[in-house]
Amino acid sequence: LVADPQQSSVVYAGTQDGVFKSVDGATSWTAASFGLTTREVRSLAIAPGPESTVLAGTWGGGVFRSTDGGNTWNAVNPGLDGPYVYTVTAEPAVGGAFYAGTYYYGVFKYEDEVGSWRAATDGLSTHGVTALALAPASTRTLYVGSDGGQVYRSADAGLTWARVSLPLGRMVGAVVTDPSDADKVLVGTLGSGIFRSTDGGANWVHVTGWPSPVNV
C-alpha cells in the first residue's frame, strides 16, 4: 500500500492480481493495471512531480512505471538484470532516482538522465534483496534487508554498502526509517519479530517477537 503524498485521499494497492486505486481514502477501489503484463505486484512507490509517478515492482516482469495516476503502465527495464523485483523506492525530490531490490541480482538504481538501470551492489554480499528503504531525512542513506536476515546500509546513495547486522531472522521482510533521523531504523523479520537501531545499525535491540516466533 502507498498513499500519494500530494493527494491524501489517493491510495494504491499492489496485489497478486495487479494494482488497485482508491480516490476516497480506501472506501472504494478500482482496477488500475492497464499495461501491466505481469500482475503479481510485490511493491509500490510514488515519486513526486506535477503528475505523481507510480512505480510497481513485479515478480517476473521487472519494474513498471505510470505517469498518469495508474491509468496506464509501461515497463522500465533497460539495464535491469533480473525480472524478480521484491521492492522499489523513489527519492522524494522531483526528478530523483529510483531504486529496485531484486531477488537474484541485488540493488539497481535508475536515473532519468541516464535512462537505464545500473547495478548498485558494491559491498553487498547478498543478491537476495527482500526489503529496501530510503531515509527521508537523508536521501543518500539507504537500508537493505536480505533473504538471509541481514541488513546493509549505504551512506552514498547506493554507491557502496556495508553490512550492519548479523542475521536478525530468517529473512528481512520490512525496513522503515524515522522521517527525521536516518540513523533510527526498524526491521521486521521472518520468525524473529522486530528489531530497532538508533545508531545506523551499529547496535540492535529486539523490541517484539520473543519468545514466540513472529513473522513481519
Side-chain angles (χ1 to χ4, degrees):
L1 286 171
V2 291
D4 191 326
Q6 299 178 109
Q7 304 176 78
S8 60
S9 61
V10 176
V11 186
Y12 298 87
T15 76
Q16 289 187 333
D17 195 30
V19 177
F20 291 81
K21 180 180 180 181
S22 174
V23 297
D24 53 15
T27 300
S28 61
W29 297 86
T30 57
S33 297
F34 185 79
L36 278 179
T37 57
T38 301
R39 291 300 181 96
E40 186 173 347
V41 177
R42 290 292 181 97
S43 180
L44 293 170
I46 294 180
E51 284 288 337
S52 292
T53 295
V54 188
L55 301 174
T58 71
W59 196 248
V63 178
F64 289 79
R65 175 169 60 178
S66 174
T67 57
D68 56 11
N71 291 324
T72 58
W73 297 85
N74 293 287
V76 189
N77 290 325
L80 189 67
D81 287 342
Y84 299 100
V85 177
Y86 246 110
T87 180
V88 290
T89 191
E91 292 181 352
V94 175
F98 309 143
Y99 297 87
T102 69
Y103 191 65
Y104 296 110
Y105 298 96
V107 176
F108 287 79
K109 182 176 182 179
Y110 182 96
E111 295 171 297
D112 270 325
E113 57 266 31
V114 178
S116 66
W117 297 91
R118 62 170 178 82
T121 56
D122 187 8
L124 279 178
S125 58
T126 179
H127 296 296
V129 174
T130 51
L132 174 64
L134 185 147
S138 172
T139 57
R140 295 185 63 80
T141 301
L142 297 101
Y143 292 90
V144 151
S146 77
D147 60 348
Q150 298 166 331
V151 179
Y152 295 79
R153 184 178 189 266
S154 173
D156 52 15
L159 185 64
T160 59
W161 298 87
R163 192 179 71 183
V164 293
S165 83
L166 296 173
L168 301 175
R170 297 195 300 275
M171 183 182 82
V172 174
V175 179
V176 180
T177 66
D178 188 313
S180 60
D181 189 339
D183 286 336
K184 294 181 178 179
V185 57
L186 290 171
V187 171
T189 70
L190 180 65
S192 298
I194 298 172
F195 292 80
R196 178 180 63 211
S197 175
T198 59
D199 52 15
N203 296 281
W204 295 91
V205 176
H206 201 184
V207 295
T208 186
W210 184 262
S212 299
V214 174
N215 299 329
V216 180

